[in-house]
């Protein structure tokens, strides 16, 4: 029996080590290739220029157009996912019956397993033509439809994690609120949501990280035109869409243009790394421990 436990322990340790080594390997590759890129391109130009044309004859390597496109689609996505997901979480936790909750929650989480390429074509073929009936000047490729569909995709992240955070609040707080004469609505928004605020904030940050790293929806529906703008009706390009564009193109390996994907990739990694650490810090700092 003790031998079996030792074997299981070693297997688990190896699995944990593999994940660590994989992460270290990814960081090393990105860092080494990015250093090679910045030997050829000024990091000041990379961080401040508003033109991104590494594949053109007149080359410019400013990352700001890709950052603005990523920021724009992410803001649109979280503007959809956060209110809708939080409302669903509150309904499931406070209003829905156990039977209805057991049916709705798995159905909602199906959204998280739909292939993102399907979401991309849905945004391009359904959402964009629908939006054009209200916004005639909307481009065929645009940030708005991509952001809206990304928001639909990450609703399960917000709703599921927020519902788990609400469920962790002890029932005694709800009973105390009812005892003070509060309605169910007042209890939900003035007691339960504040008590679970750390978990809800973490769910929002993780949803933002998921939106920032989304690839296929923006590659299909948002276009591939890097421009420094916050106009959601025009084609834009995100960091992930650019990486796909170069990786599947005819750019020679080892060239400066090819190394741009590593510079863009490490930029994306830094942003998601910061967001994930912020979420862990918020959870550790503000999470309430109830007895």
């Amino acid at each position: 029996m003790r031998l079996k436990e030792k074997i299981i322990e070693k297997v688990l340790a190896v699995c944990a080590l593999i994940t660590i080594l994989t992460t270290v390997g990814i960081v090393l590759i990105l860092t080494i290739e990015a250093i090679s890129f910045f030997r050829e391109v000024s990091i000041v130009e990379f961080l401040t220029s508003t033109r991104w044309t590494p594949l053109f004859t007149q080359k410019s390597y400013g990352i700001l157009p890709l950052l603005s496109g990523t920021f724009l689609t992410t803001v649109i996505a979280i503007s959809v996912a956060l209110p809708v997901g939080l409302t669903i979480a509150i309904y499931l936790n406070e209003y829905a019956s156990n039977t209805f909750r057991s049916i709705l929650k798995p159905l909602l989480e199906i959204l998280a397993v739909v292939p993102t390429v399907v979401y991309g074509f849905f945004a391009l073929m359904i959402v964009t033509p629908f939006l054009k009936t209200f916004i005639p000047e909307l481009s065929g490729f645009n940030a708005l439809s991509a952001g809206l569909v990304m928001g639909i995709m990450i609703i399960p992240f917000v709703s599921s994690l927020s519902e788990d955070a609400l469920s962790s609040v002890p029932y005694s707080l709800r009973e105390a609120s009812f005892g003070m004469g509060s309605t169910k609505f007042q209890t939900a928004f003035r007691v339960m949501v504040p008590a679970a605020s750390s978990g809800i904030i973490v769910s929002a940050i993780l949803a933002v990280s998921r939106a920032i790293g989304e690839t296929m929806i923006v590659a299909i529906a948002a276009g591939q035109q890097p421009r420094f703008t916050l106009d959601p009706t025009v084609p834009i390009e995100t960091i992930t869409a650019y990486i796909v564009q170069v990786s599947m193109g005819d750019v020679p390996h080892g060239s400066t243009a090819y190394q741009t994907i590593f510079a863009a990739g490490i930029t994306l990694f830094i942003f998601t790394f910061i967001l994930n650490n912020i979420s862990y810090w918020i959870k550790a700092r503000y999470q309430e421990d109830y007895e």
Side-chain angles (χ1 to χ4, degrees):
M1 190 66 180
R2 184 166 296 178
L3 178 61
K4 290 182 178 179
E5 291 182 356
K6 288 290 184 181
I7 294 173
I8 293 173
E9 181 182 344
K10 296 298 182 183
V11 170
L12 293 175
V14 169
C15 291
L17 184 61
I18 289 173
T19 59
I20 294 173
L21 292 176
T22 302
T23 303
V24 171
I26 292 171
V27 173
L28 283 177
I29 291 173
L30 287 175
T31 303
I32 292 170
E33 295 292 340
I35 289 173
S36 299
F37 170 78
F38 287 119
R39 286 174 180 166
E40 304 292 332
V41 177
S42 168
I43 192 170
V44 175
E45 177 189 356
F46 182 77
L47 296 176
T48 60
S49 176
T50 58
R51 284 177 53 82
W52 180 260
T53 56
L55 306 181
F56 293 9
T57 303
Q58 294 183 344
K59 300 183 183 299
S60 183
Y61 299 97
I63 195 68
L64 289 181
L66 299 185
L67 288 178
S68 68
T70 303
F71 173 79
L72 182 58
T73 53
T74 300
V75 168
I76 295 171
I78 202 64
S79 298
V80 173
L82 185 57
V84 175
L86 183 56
T87 301
I88 292 172
I90 293 172
Y91 173 76
L92 289 175
N93 190 262
E94 298 296 320
Y95 294 92
S97 64
N98 291 332
T99 301
F100 187 70
R101 184 187 300 113
S102 64
I103 296 173
L104 181 59
K105 194 169 182 180
L107 288 177
L108 183 66
E109 292 176 351
I110 289 177
L111 291 174
V113 299
V114 174
T116 56
V117 67
V118 175
Y119 281 115
F121 281 108
F122 174 72
L124 180 64
M125 306 301 296
I126 304 296
V127 177
T128 296
F130 175 75
L131 291 176
K132 278 189 174 184
T133 61
F134 303 98
I135 313 174
E137 67 275 13
L138 186 69
S139 174
F141 298 97
N142 59 87
L144 181 58
S145 60
L148 290 175
V149 174
M150 281 171 58
I152 294 172
M153 181 193 68
I154 62 176
I155 283 174
F157 287 87
V158 178
S159 62
S160 181
L161 293 174
S162 296
E163 202 272 333
D164 291 340
L166 290 168
S167 299
S168 67
V169 178
Y171 196 78
S172 58
L173 289 182
R174 186 184 289 108
E175 291 179 329
S177 178
F178 289 147
M180 296 293 291
S182 300
T183 64
K184 183 173 286 191
F185 182 85
Q186 291 172 326
T187 300
F189 285 92
R190 296 186 179 181
V191 176
M192 302 301 293
V193 171
S197 59
S198 63
I200 293 172
I201 293 171
V202 168
S203 72
I205 294 174
L206 293 177
V208 168
S209 296
R210 178 66 181 86
I212 289 175
E214 173 52 36
T215 303
M216 292 310 300
I217 295 176
V218 289
I220 293 172
Q224 294 182 342
Q225 298 182 25
R227 48 162 53 92
F228 186 60
T229 181
L230 294 180
D231 183 359
T233 64
V234 298
I236 53 91
E237 188 168 38
T238 65
I239 294 176
T240 53
Y242 173 77
I243 292 173
V244 170
Q245 179 188 5
V246 175
S247 299
M248 300 182 66
D250 298 324
V251 179
H253 284 238
S255 64
T256 303
Y258 185 79
Q259 288 175 335
T260 56
I261 65 174
F262 297 100
I266 199 167
T267 303
L268 183 66
F269 176 83
I270 289 171
F271 273 102
T272 55
F273 179 79
I274 290 173
L275 286 172
N276 288 339
N277 277 277
I278 289 174
S279 68
Y280 287 127
W281 178 80
I282 289 175
K283 185 176 181 180
R285 176 67 177 80
Y286 296 102
Q287 186 177 24
E288 297 286 349
D289 293 324
Y290 299 103
E291 296 182 357

